[in-house]
Amino acid sequence: MNYEKKCSLVHQYTSSLYRLSLSLGFSANDSEEIVQNTWTTFFGNINNFEGRSTLKTYLFGILYLKAKEFSRQSFKFFKMESIDHYMEQSFDNTLHWSQTPMSPHDFSEKIEVLNIIESCLEDIPLNYKMAFILKEIEEESTQAICHLLGLTTNNLGVLLFRAKNKLKLCIEAKIQ
Amino acid sequence: MNCKQAMNIISSSESLSISKKMSLYFHLVICRSCMRYKKILEIINGKIQIIFHSKFQKNTVHCLKLEEKIIQKLKDQ
């Protein structure tokens, strides 16, 4: 690949990579390092790209690996499984809600202060956050996300279920 | 469809068959609690998009400098 083509790719995708890294919770400086490492790996192994996913998705996959490497030492593991148990308890014997969820209007008013959500996002592990961002923010296809994260469709559903309910419960706990 | 099944479908963002979509739709029409749950998740998604967007906006200059740095590295190679 020639220099002009490489530059064109850098111009096209750096902002998406940088935005993803920031969204995963890395600082601006850490994101800079992660994005640089992503490009170095991509250009160093360019022949590995077989075109089975879009280039953007492929780059996201490399960035995810770099983010994991970067955060390995400080990576926190939370027991996301406990969310399943908590959600089980939200239903009565007839499998209907034991308590009606808060009105969306009240909920919306109470979370005007966005740092409540930001602090709850910090409690979501990297793989859950990545699945959530790719599905809900980047609107990637289920197939592409599963391929990128090495998950089955069911696994992805579980990750999204836990991430969303963990966020919801955390936010509710802070605003009530 | 019961509320627990509806909640699972809503939160796992699974691709639905037409019959499942219809079941969910009719459940949401009659169930205020599940509709609230769905709307709350939508509000959270919307707010998160705002947070991510503003984080990126604050660092746009840094991102442009990063682009230049990467291109300079490519030039030097």
Side-chain angles (χ1 to χ4, degrees):
Chain A
M1 187 183 281
N2 63 28
Y3 170 73
E4 281 73 25
K5 177 70 184 161
K6 285 180 180 175
C7 288
S8 150
L9 292 178
V10 169
H11 281 306
Q12 200 176 343
Y13 294 109
T14 296
S15 59
S16 300
L17 292 169
Y18 185 72
R19 192 181 60 220
L20 176 60
S21 182
L22 288 175
S23 303
L24 286 170
F26 294 97
S27 68
N29 287 336
D30 292 348
S31 293
E32 177 175 333
E33 197 176 328
I34 290 167
V35 172
Q36 288 202 48
N37 290 342
T38 301
W39 281 118
T40 306
T41 301
F42 174 72
F43 289 130
N45 304 277
I46 206 156
N47 293 331
N48 292 351
F49 178 60
E50 296 167 344
R52 282 192 293 172
S53 54
T54 64
L55 185 56
K56 185 176 150 193
T57 310
Y58 185 71
L59 287 166
F60 279 179
I62 300 175
L63 183 134
Y64 176 59
L65 295 176
K66 297 295 156 195
K68 271 208 297 195
E69 277 172 25
F70 193 89
S71 59
R72 193 158 285 155
Q73 297 198 337
S74 60
F75 193 47
K76 295 175 198 165
F77 287 91
F78 297 94
K79 285 188 177 168
M80 292 291 279
E81 293 78 10
S82 60
I83 294 299
D84 301 356
H85 179 67
Y86 191 88
M87 291 312 290
E88 286 283 325
Q89 292 178 329
S90 306
F91 298 93
D92 61 23
N93 293 337
T94 61
L95 302 179
H96 290 91
W97 294 91
S98 46
Q99 202 179 352
T100 307
M102 184 187 284
S103 117
H105 180 261
D106 291 348
F107 184 84
S108 190
E109 273 191 346
K110 286 182 177 169
I111 56 165
E112 273 313 304
V113 186
L114 293 176
N115 59 15
I116 289 178
I117 302 179
E118 278 195 271
S119 69
C120 288
L121 273 169
E122 284 172 14
D123 284 351
I124 307 287
L126 192 64
N127 51 341
Y128 288 81
K129 220 184 276 180
M130 185 74 179
F132 177 82
I133 293 168
L134 291 179
K135 185 72 186 172
E136 305 297 335
I137 313 292
E138 297 292 337
E139 296 180 342
E140 291 280 350
S141 70
T142 300
Q143 197 189 0
I145 301 169
C146 288
H147 177 66
L148 195 150
L149 300 179
L151 299 169
T152 63
T153 312
N154 281 347
N155 290 153
L156 177 64
V158 172
L159 253 64
L160 292 170
F161 168 90
R162 289 178 182 164
K164 289 181 190 181
N165 285 303
K166 167 87 179 161
L167 272 172
K168 177 180 169 287
L169 293 171
C170 172
I171 295 166
E172 281 175 350
K174 287 185 190 234
I175 61 178
Q176 272 167 357
Chain B
M1 179 174 289
N2 58 45
C3 295
K4 194 176 173 195
Q5 288 169 329
M7 184 275 290
N8 272 318
I9 290 174
I10 293 164
S11 57
S12 61
S13 303
E14 64 178 273
S15 314
L16 301 175
S17 62
I18 293 175
S19 65
K20 246 184 176 178
K21 263 185 199 165
M22 294 294 281
S23 301
L24 179 64
Y25 173 79
F26 286 118
H27 181 84
L28 290 172
V29 168
I30 55 162
C31 179
R32 196 172 65 139
S33 297
C34 284
M35 185 52 103
R36 280 186 169 194
Y37 175 79
K38 183 174 179 281
K39 283 193 174 157
I40 285 174
L41 290 192
E42 285 168 0
I43 291 167
I44 295 173
N45 277 7
K47 296 285 181 191
I48 288 176
Q49 291 203 21
I50 293 170
I51 292 170
F52 289 167
H53 183 70
S54 82
K55 255 189 185 178
F56 182 66
Q57 288 295 105
K58 276 183 206 160
N59 290 289
T60 313
V61 177
H62 189 228
C63 184
L64 288 173
K65 282 184 184 165
L66 172 61
E67 254 183 55
E68 283 167 20
K69 228 185 227 182
I70 295 165
I71 293 201
Q72 188 59 47
K73 262 191 180 176
L74 288 172
K75 213 176 196 177
D76 296 342
Q77 280 170 2

